[in-house]
Amino acid sequence: MLSTEQIITTMSSQGLRITDQRKTLARLFAESPGYLTPKDVYEYMGKTYSGLSFDTVYRNLRVMQELGVLEQVIFEDGVKFRAHCSEDHHHHHMICLKCQKTYPIVFCPMQLADAPEQFQVVDHKFEVFGYCKDCAEHMPAKVSSGHQHGKH
C-alpha cells in the first residue's frame, strides 16, 4: 500500500493543498492495514480536530479517491476506503469478508468482456469476495463449503 509520503506527494502533485487534516488522513490510511468506513475516519479525525463535520471528512475521502490515493470498495455493510496499492500495474482484488485481507488478481477479466461497439468503457472494477484460509478454518462448515442453504 502507498506510504504516507507517497499519498501526500501524489495529492500535492495534482494540485491539492496539503493541510494538517489531509496529512493526518494520509497517515491514517498508510498505517491502517484494512478498510475504513467514513464513520471510522470521522471518529478518528474528531479526536484531533474538534468541530470537523462528517461532510468535510467524506468530501476529502472522495477527493483522495478521485486522485487515486484511496481505493473504494462497496461491502455488504456499506462503502469503505483504504490506501491504494503501491503496485503500479493494473490489477483487481480478492477480499476476505471477515478479516478484509486483500489479494491481488493479476489477470483483468475486462479482456473477456463482450462490450457492444456502441458502448464506450471508461472505467471498471472487479472484486471477488470470500474467506481467506485462516478465516475459513474458524467458520461453521456450511459457510466455508461455499454453499449456504441452496444459494449459489
Side-chain angles (χ1 to χ4, degrees), residues 61-127:
L61 294 175
R62 282 279 178 226
V63 168
M64 292 171 74
Q65 183 219 343
E66 287 166 13
L67 294 180
V69 295
L70 294 186
E71 294 177 4
Q72 171 189 295
V73 173
I74 300 172
F75 288 83
E76 288 180 351
D77 59 344
V79 64
K80 296 181 184 180
F81 296 87
R82 74 170 199 148
H84 199 281
C85 293
S86 53
E87 296 185 35
D88 51 8
H89 67 280
H90 179 76
H91 67 285
H92 299 280
H93 298 118
M94 285 188 211
I95 304 165
C96 179
L97 288 167
K98 187 166 183 185
C99 70
Q100 297 181 354
K101 187 170 182 179
T102 302
Y103 303 87
I105 301 171
V106 293
F107 168 76
C108 178
M110 272 306 292
Q111 299 165 26
L112 301 175
D114 192 15
E117 282 184 35
Q118 64 271 25
F119 189 83
Q120 179 185 2
V121 176
V122 294
D123 194 15
H124 68 276
K125 284 187 155 201
F126 181 73
E127 289 140 353

Side-chain angles (χ1 to χ4, degrees), residues 53-68:
S53 75
F54 182 80
D55 285 348
T56 300
V57 170
Y58 198 77
R59 203 167 34 252
N60 273 287
L61 294 175
R62 282 279 178 226
V63 168
M64 292 171 74
Q65 183 219 343
E66 287 166 13
L67 294 180

